[in-house]
Amino acid sequence: MPNFDHVRLDHLLPFQIRERLAANPTVFIPLGTIEWHSEHLPVGLDALTAEGLCLRVADKIGGLVYPALHYGTGGGHGSYPWTVMLQKQDELEAILRFTLARLNDFCVEKVLLFSGHFPDQQLDMIDRLAAEWNMTNRTMRVVSSAVNRIPGLDFAPDHAGLFETTLLYGLHPELVHEERLPPKRTGETEADPYGVQRHEPDHPLWGIFGPDPRGFDKAKAKPLVEHIVMHLAALIDQE
């Protein structure tokens, strides 16, 4: 995995932070949660993908990446194993509001709130925070986006399915363990990859909501990552 220490805010000394922000006064805030992603993916996937993408954008265009926040809200499956989902977004909103205010004090000019966790409640929250902030007379601009908002993807975003498995493989191939899923049965088909049957613990794809990731095309992982990085870099540039 590439070394991104030079863009990790928490890894830098004050003079290094000043140098980086003088070149590009942008801070990326990756958002995720601790959440079940079936047996083949780590529970920190949402934050890992958000952070991994932000690190690559900062490496490409400049700026710094804030440590990923491993809390999120929404999704409707908070009772799954190893899932720590906030029932209300008040606590997370308070943290983000305070963080934005302090970054503004430090003369940051742009912030990207970028979520790897993308149920409607989470997206509504970051959109509202960005809109409310940008209505003030402060000079810092806040942009909100998420991994499911990238145009031109080869396949639709999902939960622990083909999309998230391929994306994480492009960022952290060592963390994807497809072999932990049971092998496909001969003639196995499924009409609804988002159906309620996937909520049953005895289902072979328990907790996977989207196309079956078994046998996913690893060659598509790197182009997927590069496509998202290019889109985010352009998004920041146009602000």
Side-chain angles (χ1 to χ4, degrees):
M1 179 181 175
N3 186 324
F4 293 108
D5 284 352
H6 61 294
V7 296
R8 292 182 183 272
L9 176 64
D10 57 330
H11 286 211
L12 300 181
L13 298 172
F15 84 92
Q16 295 170 311
I17 294 174
R18 291 192 293 268
E19 288 177 352
R20 291 290 302 181
L21 293 183
N24 186 337
T26 298
V27 170
F28 302 82
I29 302 181
L31 305 172
T33 191
I34 298 297
E35 180 183 15
W36 175 267
H37 282 86
S38 196
E39 294 286 355
H40 68 304
L41 298 174
V43 295
L45 179 140
D46 292 348
L48 286 165
T49 54
E51 181 185 56
L53 292 165
C54 287
L55 289 169
R56 284 160 176 78
V57 180
D59 181 57
K60 181 179 180 64
I61 68 171
L64 293 172
V65 179
Y66 202 84
L69 297 181
H70 288 71
Y71 288 95
T73 187
H77 45 270
S79 62
Y80 266 66
W82 291 107
T83 297
V84 183
M85 197 78 66
L86 296 174
Q87 298 303 305
K88 297 181 180 180
Q89 60 262 41
D90 302 8
E91 298 94 338
L92 184 53
E93 278 195 39
I95 291 171
L96 290 173
R97 288 181 195 279
F98 182 78
T99 303
L100 292 176
R102 290 301 285 155
L103 293 177
N104 183 73
D105 291 342
F106 303 144
C107 300
V108 173
E109 294 182 7
K110 296 179 187 177
V111 171
L112 174 65
L113 297 174
F114 186 68
S115 187
H117 180 64
F118 47 86
D120 290 342
Q121 297 96 316
Q122 178 91 350
L123 300 183
D124 290 346
M125 177 192 65
I126 61 174
D127 289 346
R128 184 175 63 256
L129 284 173
E132 290 175 359
W133 179 276
N134 292 334
M135 289 176 64
T136 69
N137 59 0
R138 292 156 164 157
T139 56
M140 189 177 82
R141 298 285 297 170
V142 179
V143 184
S144 58
S145 191
V147 295
N148 70 322
R149 291 179 166 176
I150 310 301
L153 295 174
D154 287 341
F155 27 66
D158 56 33
H159 182 269
L162 183 63
F163 172 76
E164 285 199 323
T165 300
T166 306
L167 179 56
L168 187 65
Y169 189 85
L171 298 166
H172 294 282
E174 75 284 0
L175 298 180
V176 176
H177 291 277
E178 184 187 3
E179 75 279 1
R180 301 299 301 176
L181 296 173
K184 288 184 179 181
R185 300 186 300 271
T186 302
E188 180 181 338
T189 60
E190 187 169 35
D192 184 3
Y194 293 89
V196 294
Q197 77 281 358
R198 295 280 183 92
H199 283 292
E200 297 298 328
D202 60 352
H203 192 282
L205 300 180
W206 180 33
I208 297 175
F209 300 100
D212 188 342
R214 291 175 293 183
F216 76 100
D217 187 350
K218 296 177 175 63
K220 292 186 176 181
K222 184 178 179 181
L224 175 61
V225 169
E226 291 175 347
H227 178 84
I228 297 175
V229 168
M230 291 293 290
H231 170 77
L232 293 177
L235 180 65
I236 290 298
D237 270 350
Q238 72 189 23
E239 288 294 323

